[in-house]
Amino acid sequence: MTTKIDRTIAAVILMSFLVLGCSMHQKPVQQHSTGQAPAVAKTMDNVYWWRCNFQIVWPDDAGIKWEVDLLLAHAVVAPVLSYHIDDIEYWRFHRRAARDSSGHQFSFLFYSTPETASLVMAEIAESKLLSRIHEANLIRGVIIDDPAQPLLQKIEDTSDPQWSPELQRNWPAFIMGASSLWLGLIDERMPFSPGDDTDINLLLEEYRDVNDRITETWRTEGQHALLHHLNAIFGYEPLHIRKFLTF
């Protein structure tokens, strides 16, 4: 069951090939998150997956504002994630935009107890900056899971069910590291720490520039730094590509 903030429409998530994720200038997420993952991926007692889904405004005659994803990740989610990181086993971001019923969405998922989820969801919902983002007509609303009604307990419950069970269970650790990388790249390039009263248009301009610079990093360094080294982990074995993909 989900609870609506601003009583808006629900959404579904479409997976992209390699997702990358967010943080503030104190960098506690990068320092602690990936090392906090359990050595063996397993389902835990009283720990569940939770989702916070931001529905981004995308007019029919406009391009995708990817910078809104960065604004939400770095300025809204990251401060809350940083504060509660020691009580979160796994976390990740998901980005998608397609001309369908789901449209442009940015999601934050995390694996924790209902008690921690309740705190995290409340703090995100109470964000003054999030309210200003909504008032600026950048998001249609936010949909969050209800901490009082947990549903997804298995470690593999947010992985693709078409994958092998072993991959489903261990993938959350991989995507958390990738999300932490993306988050760190945002933080490295953000010239100031956004406050609740920072001008929204100024923030969008800054995050648009940051997004362009991260995109250039992905284009020019991703092949070796990310894809090559990922291939090396698997012994340089060939990868079977079954369809055209945007890397």
Side-chain angles (χ1 to χ4, degrees):
M1 179 177 180
T2 56
T3 299
K4 294 185 179 179
I5 304 171
D6 300 320
R7 303 183 183 279
T8 52
I9 312 168
V12 284
I13 301 218
L14 177 66
M15 193 60 207
S16 54
F17 177 71
L18 190 61
V19 192
L20 305 173
C22 121
S23 145
M24 294 296 281
H25 287 289
Q26 64 267 34
K27 302 183 192 293
V29 174
Q30 280 69 37
Q31 290 174 4
H32 300 297
S33 62
T34 53
Q36 182 165 306
V40 178
K42 61 181 181 180
T43 298
M44 302 179 183
D45 292 337
N46 197 38
V47 176
Y48 304 84
W49 281 106
W50 313 96
R51 177 174 293 155
C52 182
N53 176 261
F54 301 88
Q55 301 178 305
I56 300 170
V57 172
W58 186 17
D60 291 338
D61 59 349
I64 305 171
K65 289 188 174 182
W66 289 118
E67 61 269 22
V68 179
D69 293 14
L70 279 70
L71 171 60
L72 292 167
H74 186 251
V76 175
V77 175
V80 179
L81 174 60
S82 299
Y83 187 79
H84 294 283
I85 193 64
D86 290 337
D87 297 315
I88 293 175
E89 302 296 338
Y90 293 100
W91 63 273
R92 69 179 173 95
F93 296 116
H94 181 80
R95 306 172 70 186
R96 67 96 66 200
R99 289 298 186 185
D100 55 22
S101 59
S102 298
H104 183 185
Q105 298 182 19
F106 175 78
S107 299
F108 169 51
L109 299 88
F110 61 100
Y111 194 54
S112 75
T113 64
E115 292 76 17
T116 296
S118 181
L119 294 172
V120 168
M121 296 302 193
E123 289 169 25
I124 290 176
E126 293 166 3
S127 166
K128 294 180 180 179
L129 184 55
L130 181 61
S131 295
R132 294 181 57 229
I133 291 172
H134 185 268
E135 291 168 1
N137 197 37
L138 295 175
I139 60 173
R140 293 182 286 120
V142 186
I143 296 176
I144 62 174
D145 288 337
D146 184 356
Q149 299 192 42
L151 296 174
L152 305 176
Q153 184 173 22
K154 293 181 180 179
I155 189 65
E156 64 268 32
D157 276 346
T158 64
S159 299
D160 192 320
Q162 298 184 45
W163 299 338
S164 64
E166 297 83 2
L167 182 58
Q168 290 181 48
R169 287 191 292 271
N170 288 279
W171 183 77
F174 164 76
I175 202 64
M176 180 172 70
S179 294
S180 184
L181 169 62
W182 182 70
L183 172 58
L185 291 174
I186 297 173
D187 196 66
E188 290 277 354
R189 290 164 171 80
M190 191 61 190
F192 59 89
S193 185
D196 291 341
D197 57 351
T198 307
D199 181 80
I200 293 295
N201 291 325
L202 173 62
L203 283 177
L204 282 179
E205 182 179 337
E206 295 289 351
Y207 282 114
R208 186 179 303 115
D209 178 64
V210 171
N211 184 67
D212 289 344
R213 293 165 67 188
I214 291 176
T215 296
E216 184 63 19
T217 297
W218 164 249
R219 287 173 176 166
T220 59
E221 301 185 74
Q223 178 179 332
H224 182 254
L226 302 177
L227 299 184
H228 165 76
H229 284 283
L230 181 61
N231 188 211
I233 290 293
F234 289 93
Y236 297 104
E237 292 294 334
L239 181 65
H240 183 197
I241 304 295
R242 292 175 294 180
K243 60 182 179 180
F244 288 107
L245 295 173
T246 300
F247 296 121

